[in-house]
Amino acid sequence: MILPRSRVAAILLCLALPLTFATAVFAAATQIAKYDFEDGTAQGWYARGDGVTVAATTDAAHGGERSLLTTGRTANWNGASIAPPLEMGVQYAVTAYARLVTGQPAATVALTAQRTSGGTTTFERVGAATVTDAGWVEISGTYSFAAESTLELYAESSDPTGQFYLDDIVITSDTDPGQSGASTDFEGGSAQGWVSRASAVLTVTADQAHGGTRSLLSTGRQDFWDGPSLRVLGKMNKGSKYDLSVWVRLGPDTTAGELGMSIERRTNGTPSYDRVAAPRVIPAGEWVLLKGSYTLAYDVDFLSVYVESSSGTFPFYIDDFALTYVAPKPIQTDIPSVKDTVPFTLGTTVARATTLGEHGQLLTKHFESVTPGNALKWDATEPTEGQFVFTDPDYLVDYAQQNGLEFRGHTLAWHSQTPDWVFKDGDRALTSSPEDKALLLSRLENHIRTVVGRYKGKIKVWDVVNEVVDENQPDGMRRSPWFQITGYDFIRTAFRVAHEVDPAAKLVINDYNTEFPRKRVALFNLVKKLKAEGVPIHAVGHQLHMNIEQAPTAEVEKTIEYFAALGLDQQITELDISVYTDFVSSYTTVPAEVLALQGYRYKELFDVFRRQASRLSSVTIWGLADDSTWLSTFPITRLNPPLLFDDELQAKPAYWGVVDPARLPALVRKQDAPRGTVKLDGSREAEWDMLPDTPIARVGNLSATFQARWSPSGVSVLAEVVDATCDRNDAVTLKVGTTSRTAKRDGSATWYRTKALTGGYRVEASVPATVAAGGTVPFELVAHDAKTGKDITWTGALTLTPQVARTEAAKGTPVLDGVAESLWSKSPEIRTATWVQGTSGATAKVRVLWDNKRLYVLAKVTDPQLSEESPDAYQQDSVEIFVDPENNKTKGYDDDDGQYRISFTNKQTIGGTFDAFGIKDNLKSAVKLVPGGYVVEASIDLPTITPAKGRFLGFDLQVNDATGPTRTAAATWNDPTGQSYLNTARWGVVELAK
């Protein structure tokens, strides 16, 4: 017989309570949940039954000042309910205190679990007691369940209309569910707790499976966020770290889509969302692993993990989900605190999670300043106009004050992470009209007055405007909505208002890539202009998001010295060092030698910072440890540990590079040495100008650069030494293989020549060695300053590469029509004959021209069978032109480096840094089909340099040969690596001639 729910509850109320329930004792109990209602909310408890009301009240309290009052009941099963954070197979102890409202007759108040499993609902007693209005009575018992279930814990009374209070409800366990993890594989045929977030239909299916025979399919989704969700409340402890992973696959008839994994958390019913794994492209027909780490940093009453798409409502599968507790490793307390080893304020980023547990210990041991990564940005503080949210920044500012940490505010005006409403009037986008400009500036002023005013005296440094420079624009200004609507006035207003609100605060203009010459000059000119107008800029912030190769630390030092002329404070605001030199590569495990190189990069940078300490007030490292870095998902999702401490909060070579470089592991550097013939006369001939010099890190005032070439007789070296204290015993020692020779500053011999330079000298030398193409040779260069006794050293190995291909470009401006007029004959013809895929196929004859603004390329392609069948541009018949205007030969792309692809139908695709934002408008082209192939005629703008006779540009060209939908061959002019789209290091060069 099936009983009505009310009758079942009444029967349960009449059951005798076993004594063991009331007296159970748990050894080493772990608190799973506590509800004391002291915050004035119901803390997740909700009404059970129509007309019932539950609310926190100060009318009575067992402990503290508040309890939970239940009124409006009309049946004995009515009461107060919550979805408890309990898991299958664990025994829990539950304790609560109850009291009746004054004037209510005595009644039995019970805690009951409503459990639904396999479509059947049961009601299971947890504990009960006779309760009166005379005082508080304890209700306690134990509870566990053995089948996958949905739970509701509720309090009810034998008096159908009785009103009662609850307080100090505590759930404990002799095990910690927050450490036991969770996994689902759907092999039992059920959804294993996964539920729809909205209208999505979840189906366990055998159609696809990552492991085993089943997976979970989501269909009928109503929005990108709709799909499968698993509640994990109770499975995560506040302050603990967890690894989460799930395998995903596109659903039936779906050919493209991106999927990611996120966390939804609610506090007092208010939802927030945290990304665990950023959406990534899921190739059709493939299972892809989404994974990430998460630290719960909030008190929550709801917690779930879910899979969503970046857009669209396409179906998808999930399988083999795992949530794993990451046991914390104690931080190292026997190593020096980084902050104690530097002569400036050392800071890092802070979020709630980094203030807790071992992260908080690491933070306070090593750093003395904090910058919030996101908590003070506009989208976090004013997501809706006039409605400010300060929960997180209040917490972080209070934390900093309690722990004696300085606080940097970041950031007040930025083109990114600013809500759309800021730049709109209703649904209409703001324009540069006087009315719209005034509206936007008034919003900016109101925002700054509110945010800076709230923390006046507590936040003493502000990044006022962020990333406003674009060195690729004629005036050097980023074309953000701020600038397009207000011009320079948003910068002027931001600084003026911030200074008015808190005159004691230091105000910073902050930007990235200031270590590169063009950005350096553009920002300098902007600050100089604004300072001359009286804009209250107090400091310049250099972000320094660098990598293990670029930019040279000498350029960082040049930037600091260059800005010193403004007489302003300078700060390093967002330092990290990526282990990658490009935006495509990815390691499964970062090699030890790469981590060692990162350590030396940190060492060299902090050498610069210490030398420039009189000009720097602070250095902020953009992240506490590798387990939380923006570079994990930018520009792609990959393993990228850029900080001083690893995922387990332990010191890395990067740490020792800052604190004690003597403890860095030995490093064998690598450098390409192309084949080449030089005249040994101490002059810098064209052969040396074809490639950039390799810098050797400065020690004191001693620094140097070098290049190497090889020929059958040995290795030639050009070294230029900066050493202003001239001494006859200054010297450069070269060791090639086992041969070591020393060249004196004012000497010469058959094997070397020297030449005086302003502030230093040059050595050109040739050292015999056994060499062969494709081989390596040990190499060491030591520059010695006799006056100070200091040495600088480069130790490593030279990789002997083929001669760099070189061509000339005559000056002239052709008509872009796909027809080779006579002007082209002024330049020599080169050919694509270096096969990077296949051994035969389409080739091209190529000529290059230049004028005062552009480089021009003519490619006559021999390819009798043409195809654009593939949806991938690189697998279509096409020509790719590679241009490095500054010929930096880096293992990545600079902002003005470009990959310009032109298909035989003149379809263009462009590759470069950050989606080619700096070069996307540089290309113009014309294509003409001819018997046996096609002709490409192209122009490429060169806005970042001044073209001139004798200048070298990095240059290469590749022809792609497609057969049907697949690229079957590819040939370049010079680069043999097949990696031209990733880095510029092995491109050839073009010299601008008459």
Side-chain angles (χ1 to χ4, degrees):
M1 181 175 68
I2 300 175
L3 298 174
R5 179 173 59 175
S6 58
R7 177 109 179 257
V8 172
I11 293 173
L12 285 171
L13 281 168
C14 296
L15 294 175
L17 180 66
L19 181 62
T20 54
F21 276 28
T23 59
V25 177
F26 281 75
T30 298
Q31 181 173 292
I32 306 303
K34 180 179 180 180
Y35 311 97
D36 61 10
F37 314 108
E38 292 303 303
D39 62 358
T41 73
Q43 297 181 339
W45 288 78
Y46 54 89
R48 179 180 171 86
D50 294 339
V52 178
T53 300
V54 296
T57 180
T58 57
D59 293 347
H62 172 258
E65 299 178 348
R66 290 181 172 87
S67 64
L68 186 73
L69 173 62
T70 301
T71 59
R73 299 175 63 249
T74 58
N76 54 9
W77 56 269
N78 289 174
S81 296
I82 196 166
L86 310 183
E87 67 170 308
M88 184 175 64
V90 176
Q91 188 176 40
Y92 298 93
V94 183
T95 301
Y97 290 87
R99 180 174 180 169
L100 302 185
V101 172
T102 300
Q104 301 290 305
T108 299
V109 176
L111 294 176
T112 304
Q114 176 181 315
R115 183 171 64 85
T116 302
S117 178
T120 300
T121 298
T122 60
F123 299 87
E124 299 164 340
R125 176 66 58 79
V126 177
T130 299
V131 181
T132 70
D133 62 355
W136 290 91
V137 176
E138 178 182 312
I139 302 172
S140 61
T142 61
Y143 183 72
S144 65
F145 60 101
E148 183 183 316
S149 304
T150 300
L151 293 178
E152 180 182 0
L153 178 67
Y154 64 95
E156 56 185 340
S157 171
S158 59
D159 179 355
T161 61
Q163 302 176 8
F164 56 85
Y165 305 100
L166 295 173
D167 202 3
D168 293 337
I169 307 165
V170 178
I171 303 174
T172 60
S173 173
D174 56 355
T175 60
D176 186 354
Q179 297 185 12
S180 60
S183 63
T184 59
D185 59 11
F186 313 111
E187 293 304 299
S190 74
Q192 296 181 320
W194 290 85
V195 296
S196 171
R197 301 194 75 218
S199 63
V201 177
L202 307 186
T203 307
V204 177
T205 177
D207 293 344
Q208 298 290 342
H210 170 259
T213 61
R214 290 181 172 89
S215 63
L216 185 69
L217 173 64
S218 296
T219 58
R221 301 166 59 229
Q222 73 173 35
D223 211 333
F224 74 92
W225 48 264
D226 190 9
S229 171
L230 180 68
R231 295 185 64 172
V232 290
L233 185 66
K235 299 299 297 180
M236 291 185 176
N237 296 331
K238 181 179 177 182
S240 293
K241 179 182 175 182
Y242 299 86
D243 289 337
L244 295 93
S245 63
V246 65
W247 289 88
V248 298
R249 180 185 174 116
L250 298 180
D253 302 320
T254 304
T255 59
E258 294 185 347
L259 294 171
M261 178 168 46
S262 297
I263 291 281
E264 178 182 0
R265 53 180 168 84
R266 300 177 195 165
T267 302
N268 301 328
T270 300
S272 297
Y273 308 93
D274 301 317
R275 178 165 288 171
V276 176
R280 56 182 299 185
V281 173
I282 312 300
E286 295 182 20
W287 285 97
V288 174
L289 181 64
L290 304 178
K291 62 179 181 178
S293 297
Y294 182 74
T295 298
L296 179 61
Y298 300 81
D299 294 314
V300 295
D301 46 53
F302 177 90
L303 193 67
S304 71
V305 58
Y306 62 96
V307 178
E308 62 182 339
S309 55
S310 59
S311 62
T313 59
F314 56 85
F316 60 84
Y317 301 93
I318 68 169
D319 201 3
D320 294 335
F321 167 80
L323 182 154
T324 306
Y325 169 71
V326 180
K329 194 171 184 178
I331 71 165
Q332 297 155 290
T333 57
D334 58 347
I335 60 175
S337 298
V338 186
K339 63 186 179 183
D340 295 336
T341 68
V342 294
F344 36 73
T345 299
L346 186 74
T348 188
T349 53
V350 67
R352 276 184 179 253
T354 55
T355 67
L356 304 173
E358 284 74 14
H359 286 83
Q361 296 171 27
L362 189 74
L363 172 61
T364 54
K365 173 173 173 57
H366 291 286
F367 300 94
E368 53 197 337
S369 169
V370 291
T371 303
N374 291 298
L376 278 169
K377 290 174 180 173
W378 200 311
D379 60 349
T381 54
E382 194 182 4
T384 304
E385 185 165 14
Q387 297 181 15
F388 288 86
V389 179
F390 292 114
T391 306
D392 277 4
D394 281 355
Y395 170 88
L396 295 175
V397 169
D398 289 346
Y399 173 86
Q401 291 193 308
Q402 292 163 10
N403 288 276
L405 299 168
E406 297 181 18
F407 202 102
R408 297 186 77 261
H410 178 83
T411 179
L412 296 173
W414 189 26
H415 65 274
S416 184
Q417 289 184 244
T418 302
D420 289 342
W421 67 261
V422 177
F423 305 113
K424 289 185 175 181
D425 182 8
D427 293 331
R428 180 183 64 85
L430 298 182
T431 69
S432 58
S433 70
E435 295 78 13
D436 284 357
K437 177 179 178 179
L439 174 59
L440 182 56
L441 292 178
S442 70
R443 287 172 172 171
L444 176 63
E445 178 165 352
N446 178 66
H447 182 81
I448 293 176
R449 288 194 182 279
T450 303
V451 177
V452 176
R454 185 179 185 88
Y455 300 108
K456 180 178 181 180
K458 297 180 179 180
I459 296 180
K460 298 181 180 179
V461 180
W462 280 98
D463 291 331
V464 178
V465 296
N466 196 47
E467 299 176 4
V468 299
V469 170
D470 179 357
E471 66 275 32
N472 298 303
Q473 296 293 338
D475 56 7
M477 294 300 297
R478 179 184 293 276
R479 294 307 190 256
S480 68
W482 288 111
F483 186 78
Q484 291 174 325
I485 297 168
T486 76
Y488 294 91
D489 282 347
F490 83 96
I491 305 176
R492 298 179 177 114
T493 299
F495 278 96
R496 173 184 59 80
V497 173
H499 186 59
E500 288 176 4
V501 175
D502 191 351
K506 181 177 290 187
L507 307 182
V508 184
I509 186 169
N510 190 48
D511 223 311
Y512 68 95
N513 277 4
T514 61
E515 64 273 23
F516 292 97
R518 291 187 295 112
K519 188 67 163 278
R520 175 194 304 154
V521 172
L523 180 60
F524 181 95
N525 290 340
L526 173 64
V527 176
K528 184 177 180 180
K529 164 186 169 65
L530 295 173
K531 286 295 293 179
E533 296 175 2
V535 177
I537 300 174
H538 305 137
V540 175
H542 310 291
Q543 292 185 11
L544 295 191
H545 294 296
M546 305 178 71
N547 67 50
I548 54 174
E549 295 280 351
Q550 292 293 321
T553 53
E555 293 299 321
V556 175
E557 193 147 24
K558 286 179 183 177
T559 291
I560 297 171
E561 292 173 341
Y562 185 68
F563 275 89
L566 293 174
L568 298 176
D569 178 34
Q570 297 182 65
Q571 300 179 355
I572 308 302
T573 57
E574 302 181 23
L575 172 64
D576 49 27
I577 298 179
S578 170
V579 298
Y580 301 100
T581 58
D582 60 60
F583 289 171
V584 177
S585 302
S586 181
Y587 294 116
T588 54
T589 301
V590 180
E593 60 267 27
V594 173
L595 294 177
L597 179 58
Q598 184 187 59
Y600 280 89
R601 285 283 278 164
Y602 268 107
K603 183 262 183 195
E604 294 169 6
L605 275 171
F606 273 78
D607 283 348
V608 170
F609 301 156
R610 288 181 172 101
R611 281 195 297 269
Q612 299 294 334
S614 63
R615 293 162 173 159
L616 291 174
S617 63
S618 69
V619 173
T620 295
I621 296 174
W622 204 243
L624 180 64
D626 289 338
D627 64 339
S628 181
T629 168
W630 72 299
L631 292 178
S632 293
T633 57
F634 180 87
I636 61 172
T637 298
R638 58 183 174 181
L639 174 65
N640 195 352
L643 305 170
L644 304 188
F645 301 95
D646 66 17
D647 280 352
E648 296 184 311
L649 313 189
Q650 306 300 295
K652 296 165 49 186
Y655 164 87
W656 293 112
V658 176
V659 172
D660 185 2
R663 295 188 60 173
L664 282 170
L667 178 66
V668 178
R669 297 181 184 270
K670 298 176 182 179
Q671 178 68 36
D672 287 345
R675 182 165 181 166
T677 302
V678 297
K679 181 180 180 181
L680 201 64
D681 59 3
S683 298
R684 190 180 181 99
E685 59 202 88
E687 176 66 34
W688 298 118
D689 286 339
M690 287 171 55
L691 299 180
D693 294 343
T694 296
I696 304 176
R698 173 177 159 185
V699 174
N701 291 317
L702 178 66
S703 63
T705 60
F706 78 94
Q707 285 190 56
R709 299 287 188 275
W710 71 276
S711 66
S713 61
V715 173
S716 298
V717 178
L718 182 83
E720 295 188 348
V721 182
V722 176
D723 180 2
T725 58
C726 185
D727 189 292
R728 62 179 301 176
N729 291 317
D730 292 338
V732 171
T733 298
L734 300 172
K735 186 176 182 181
V736 181
T738 59
T739 302
S740 180
R741 292 185 174 180
T742 298
K744 292 293 185 71
R745 177 173 185 156
D746 60 353
S748 65
T750 57
W751 65 276
Y752 81 92
R753 295 289 189 275
T754 61
K755 185 172 184 178
L757 303 175
T758 302
Y761 61 101
R762 177 188 299 133
V763 173
E764 191 175 27
S766 182
V767 180
T770 301
V771 292
T776 61
V777 60
F779 177 78
E780 182 176 83
L781 186 154
V782 180
H784 176 69
D785 180 357
K787 187 173 183 65
T788 64
K790 295 183 181 297
D791 290 340
I792 55 173
T793 305
W794 193 97
T795 301
L798 300 177
T799 300
L800 309 179
T801 60
Q803 186 167 359
V804 178
R806 171 183 173 187
T807 191
E808 290 184 348
K811 191 172 186 180
T813 303
V815 176
L816 292 186
D817 56 5
V819 177
E821 63 259 54
S822 60
L823 176 64
W824 285 104
S825 63
K826 294 173 58 180
S827 295
E829 183 179 86
I830 58 176
R831 301 189 178 196
T832 58
T834 302
W835 295 98
V836 295
Q837 181 182 351
T839 57
S840 65
T843 59
K845 298 176 181 179
V846 181
R847 298 179 193 267
V848 188
L849 294 169
W850 69 283
D851 63 21
N852 294 335
K853 293 183 178 181
R854 299 173 185 87
L855 193 72
Y856 300 91
V857 179
L858 176 73
K860 297 180 178 180
V861 181
T862 300
D863 187 354
Q865 294 182 338
L866 301 176
S867 172
E868 283 186 347
E869 289 183 37
S870 174
D872 299 320
Y874 78 93
Q875 298 204 78
Q876 301 170 359
D877 281 305
S878 60
V879 167
E880 296 182 24
I881 302 168
F882 301 96
V883 180
D884 174 1
E886 296 173 301
N887 195 30
N888 286 326
K889 292 290 187 289
T890 58
K891 294 180 181 178
Y893 272 43
D894 294 334
D895 288 349
D896 60 346
D897 299 339
Q899 171 196 24
Y900 303 93
R901 184 186 294 112
I902 307 160
S903 78
F904 70 91
T905 62
N906 203 27
K907 182 170 63 178
Q908 299 179 355
T909 50
I910 300 177
T913 303
F914 298 142
D915 296 325
F917 80 98
I919 63 161
K920 57 184 175 60
D921 299 323
N922 286 357
L923 177 65
K924 295 179 178 62
S925 63
V927 177
K928 186 176 181 65
L929 295 178
V930 297
Y934 58 101
V935 176
V936 172
E937 197 170 21
S939 73
I940 296 165
D941 292 350
L942 302 171
T944 63
I945 65 169
T946 301
K949 179 180 178 297
R951 181 158 192 157
F952 288 95
L953 277 63
F955 175 80
D956 222 306
L957 188 139
Q958 177 173 312
V959 178
N960 299 313
D961 190 2
T963 302
T966 305
R967 189 178 75 177
T968 55
T972 66
W973 170 49
N974 181 74
D975 189 348
T977 66
Q979 304 290 301
S980 297
Y981 69 100
L982 288 180
N983 70 71
T984 71
R986 296 292 296 275
W987 297 356
V989 295
V990 57
E991 181 179 7
L992 306 185
K994 289 185 178 179

